[in-house]
Every structure is written in C-alpha cells, then in structure tokens.
Amino acid sequence: MTLLVDFGGRHRIISYSVVLVHLSEEAIWKMPLFKRKPFDLAKPPEDLEPSDLVYQVRFTKEIFRDYQEYLNRINLYRQRVWMCKSTGKSNLTYEEAMVMEKNAIQKVQQLPNDLVAPALRIIQFSMLSLRDLADLVTKKLQKDLFVGAELYGKKDDGLYPCRVLKIVENGVGKMQYEVALLGENKKITENAILHGEDLVWKKTPFNRKILKSFIRESTCRSIPWVLHEKLAQKHGISTDLPEELRSKFFLQGGQLVNRTKKRKNENRNNVGEANGESGKSKRNKGETGKPDASKEENNQPEDEPVKYPIDDLLVKPGPDDPLFTDRPSPSRDFNVPMDCIGDLLMVWDFCSSFSRVLNLWPFSLEDFENAICHKDSNLVLIVETHSALLRILIKDDGEYSLALQNKKRKSKISLITWTEYVCDFLEMINVTELCSCMTTIKRGHYGLLDANAKLGILCELVCHALETDLIRGKLDDLIEQRRALGATVRGEALEYARKKREEKEQLKGESNGLEVKENSMESTGSNPHMAENGEENGDMVEEVISSRQSNAFVNSRKQLNGQSKRGEKQKLDPKVEAENITNSNEKEAQKQLTGEKKEDQEKKSKEKREQRKEYFKREMEKRSIRTNPLGKDRDYNRYWWFRRDGRIFVESSDSKQWGYYCAKEEVDALMSSLNPKGERERALQQQLEKFYPRISLELQKRSKDLAQKIALEEAVLRRSTRVRAPPRENPANAFLKYVNKWKED
C-alpha cells in the first residue's frame, strides 16, 4: 500500500504493508486530552487496496483517504488545545503532549514495584484533591519498607548506609528487618536485624511530582479517584463502591455516576420536553430525536476551518482565493557556468561590501562576470581584485605573510608579479584542484583558466580574508555602530512618547481645572457678593433659616439675580456691546490662528520624524554586515536581492539552478503569483513589499542604463568601416576601462 506520510509539514510517499493500527487500552490511557476530555483516534478506512493512495499522520498512525479530512486533523493536532494527562499541563500541541506523557511515564516507572499495590489501595475511591492525595501516599509509603530499599540504619549511636535484605516478623506483631550494612562502593560489611523506627530513608524513591503523574496515569476519573478496571484486577484491588459513597454515586456499565448530577439532568430534560425543544436542539437532532451521529460519533469534534498560514505544500486552491498570475520564468543568460553563480555572487558581494577596507574601487556585477570570462591574463579588474585580497593577508602577519618572508618576497604587488603571489597562496592552502592550475599561471596564461578555477581561487582568498584581524575589526565596528543607531532610535521613540504623555497629562489637568471652576461658580451662585463673602454667608444662612425657608430663600435669590442681570444688560450702551462683539471675534480669530499653528507644528514634527526614520534606515543599510535571502517560495527556492545590483536572483532548493528577474513587470508578476496562505510565500511577499520601492527604483534605473547601452551599440554599428571605433569604446567592454581609484601607493 502507498502512504503519504506527514514529516513536519512535508509529505513523502512510502511503501506500507500493514493497514490496521490497533491500540491497546493501556496505550489509550496515555493519549493526550482534547480540551480536558479523552479523544478517540480515527478508525482506519475499510476495504483498502494495496494500490490506494492514502494519507497517514506520522505520530498517531491514523490513515485517511480524503485529503481534506487529513488536513483538518493535522491542523487540529497543531492547535494548542491539548493537555498532557500525566502532568496536567495544558496549552500544548498533540505531539508536544505525547512527548511529555512519554517522559512522565518513564519517570512513573521508577516507582518500586513493591510500592505500586499499596499506593493503588490508597488511591482507590479517595475523595481528596490531587495534592493532598499525593501527600498522603508519600507519608504512608515512607513507612512501608521493601526488600532492596536503601536507607540509613541506627546502630551504636551512629547512622550507617544499609540495604533491606529480608522482612522478619516477631511474635509481638512489630516488623523487623534484616539489613546489610554498606561500606565504600556499596560493599556489604556485615548483616544486622533492626526495627522499623531504627531505619531512616536516605532518599525517597519518589517525590510528589512523580506521584501526581502516577495517580493520573492509573485512574480513569477524579474525586472520587477510580482505578482502571484491568489495573485494579491485576493488583487484586476491590472495585466495589465503599459504603460511605453509595449515597452519592452508583456504578452503571462499569462507570461511576453521580446521583445528584443525573437527577438534575433528568429534571432538565423533563422541563425541556414540557416546554418544547429549542430551534437549536431541533437542528442538531434527526427525526428520531437523537443527536446527529455524524457530529457526536466517537466524541469527534466538528471539522474546524483551516487557520492560515500553513505549510505551503498543504495549501489547496479554494473558491475564495484571488486570481493568482502565472509565475514568470527567470532569465538564465549567464556568461559563467551555472554551477559557479553562487561563488560569483559571494565574491562580488564581499568585494563591494568591504571595498573601503580593501582599497578597491567598486565595480558592477556584470563587469565582474565579463572579466572572469575574459581571456586576457593581465586584466586590470582581475589583477586589482586579487591584489587587494592578497594585501589584506600580508597585513595580517599570519601564515601567508610568513610564507612570503621565507621566500623573501617584496610586500608590494605589481602588475607583473601578482601571479607569483597567487601561486604562493595556492602552495600555502594546498588544495589539489587549485594546485593543478599553478603551471598555467606560472607560464603567464592566467586568462586561459576556466571560470570555475578563477572563482575557486577568489573564494579561497575571500575565506582567508574573513579570518584576518582587519576584516574582523571592521565587522566589530559595524556591529557597534548598528547598536548605537538602534539605541538612538529607541531613545528618540521614548522621548517622543514621554512628550506625548506629558501633553496628555497637561490637557487633562487643564480640563480638570475648568471643571473645578465651573463647579465652584455653581456652588457660589451668580451673585458676586456671595462669592466674595465665601463660606461665612453660607454658614450664617444655614444657621438662621430652616430647610423649607432655605428653599424659598434660594429661589428668591435666583429670581433677584436674574432680574439684576436683565437690568444690567438693558443698561449697557450699544457702543459697549459693539466692543464686546469685536473682542469676541478677535478671540475666536486668535484661537483659529493658534489652532492652525499647532497643526503646522504637528505636521512639521511628523515630517521631521519621518525624515529621521528614513535617515536611520539608510544608515543601517550602509552598515549591513551580510546579505540574507528575501525568503523562499513553496518549492523552497530562495530569492536574493543585492542593494548594489537591481536584479532579483532565484536559487533552486538544491543550489544547482540560478535565474534572475531584471524588469519591474516581472517582479510585479512574481508578487501576484505568491499565495499568502502558505507560510514561506507569505513571508517572501512581506519582504518584497517592504523593499518594493527600492527594488523598483533600481530596476527602472537598470532599464534606463540598458537602453542607453543598446543605443550606443547601435551607434557604433552604424559607423563607417573606415572610421571603425576601437574595441574599448563598446559599452559591452566597459570592464576593460576599470581603474582602481582607491589603489594604495
């Protein structure tokens, strides 16, 4: 039979001969709990043929014919709704709970066999909580000694390590123990017979945690704790309900049932039948009035919707999915062989990143690729690249520097002698594949080497340069600078948050002050004389007049105040009224101006903050330590973007195939083809969206440069053969014009 097995989200097809998976009752006890309740595994499908394609869950061995059922079950197992029955720990995935239970069972098995039966007798039908029951079992088991127990025995006013050899009963009824006193390396020195009170535990063979796991493992229900039937029969423990519990519980079908709960459920059912079934219960029941078997059978949960994102290989097209475009095929027109594209990118990225340290003027990836493929042996770009890397090794005073001193080489590398230094380096590293190129290099035919050999030499130079103190010091400086920039960004964010908090508190204080003023005005009334006199008049009024008179007094006050206000308004001149109106208009205009000023200030501060953020982003990018891939697609292809080259490179999962996208339209089509329901493609899409403005700008710039180059090439071709331009004027041969402007004197 062929099975598609889940291996951490990835599927592999394997050959499988046994279909049915039988689980013993003992294994079922160890199954994780689903929302604190037992969960039954899916039964194998019937009538399976050897040629059927089925899906199997790796850790439960469940088999499914339907992919959607398999996917739902996998997603259910990945949710943190499972509980370890042995330890009681919840919020776990199914597999985590299984591993935890396995470890807990291994610890439980450390309990001595002689103590299992006494412990089970204490546990059976106990009404104590788990903690109290574990404490009780611990106390009682410490008194029960067994053959093989290692303790300390009291003899001649001293404590000696000993081991119980035999339990001896005397006629009085007290237990005596024949023990072997132990010396160094647990060698028996002598035998003795001691009483139980003379023996002290050296170290108990169990603790409360182990006992808790043991209690959970050996019981099928709690309070009262009931042992599994087969386990009780094995150790000869009675399964009959004690007399004191028969008034509250009774046995039904081998299960312990609570009388009060059953009575309440029966009463609730009777009330429901009298009042009629609710619409929800009718929907959940069939014509016979029984619950829907498809949802309740085997205590299986309903099919829950898939929570995305999930592993990309598990994603299936859905009806609500947007229209994904076809993924564009990347260009593969490289000049160097396909198997050395990775080395080409690595060497170029290192030289571009540490160009200042190497004193090497930056060059484009295209120029470097063309230079590698060129047959000229003394090409300036190639010579300067090798010389810069060799100078770093010489300055480090390491193994290479010592080798040059032994050969009495000069420290200055020239256009004529650079190949000698390269051969010295190859002799030092002693790589068989590269040493075979030394004869060709010594003859002065470096350009005749194939691209693999040239890039192999450069890769070795880069690897040794990375170990030098100069490069490591530069990396340390970059790390410190990035940390300082990060601290500055965090400091500015905290300062901005502090200012905002202070402004809010200030506004809150002002609003509270206004409320207090209004309340005080209301309490003193509108009469200015009342406000001036303060509390004295109020106290006198309260002392003189009664409650009824006070109400009348207040009402009369209000009427008098209202009349006086109306009288004052009538007495005001029209000039004064006009002045008041103009003053109010001026105040409103001032408020509007201040509001506009505040808005302008907020806008300016916001713009400054955005500018600061962009500045810090640029500075962090300048101090980038290494280039990481943007992400992976569903087939594990990696996508790379280098800030000094506009293209997006695509590396296959086995690193044997490379390609690139060099147009903005191709990047747009790539982003539209990514399915965000998958974990990898979702992360890749987010990274592409993050760098999209920079990528599109670089691609547009690259397209303009290509258009200019094509125009120049066409202009060169249109020239007369009599006025033929020299080969170096062709834009395709721009790498021949390279000059190292940062070259050391």
Side-chain angles (χ1 to χ4, degrees), residues 379-392:
L379 199 63
V380 176
L381 194 151
I382 296 295
V383 172
E384 290 298 331
T385 303
H386 284 80
S387 302
L389 294 169
L390 290 168
R391 286 190 200 103
I392 289 287

Side-chain angles (χ1 to χ4, degrees), residues 110-122:
Q110 297 173 4
L111 195 70
N113 293 329
D114 295 328
L115 298 180
V116 172
L120 293 176
R121 288 191 185 92
I122 300 168

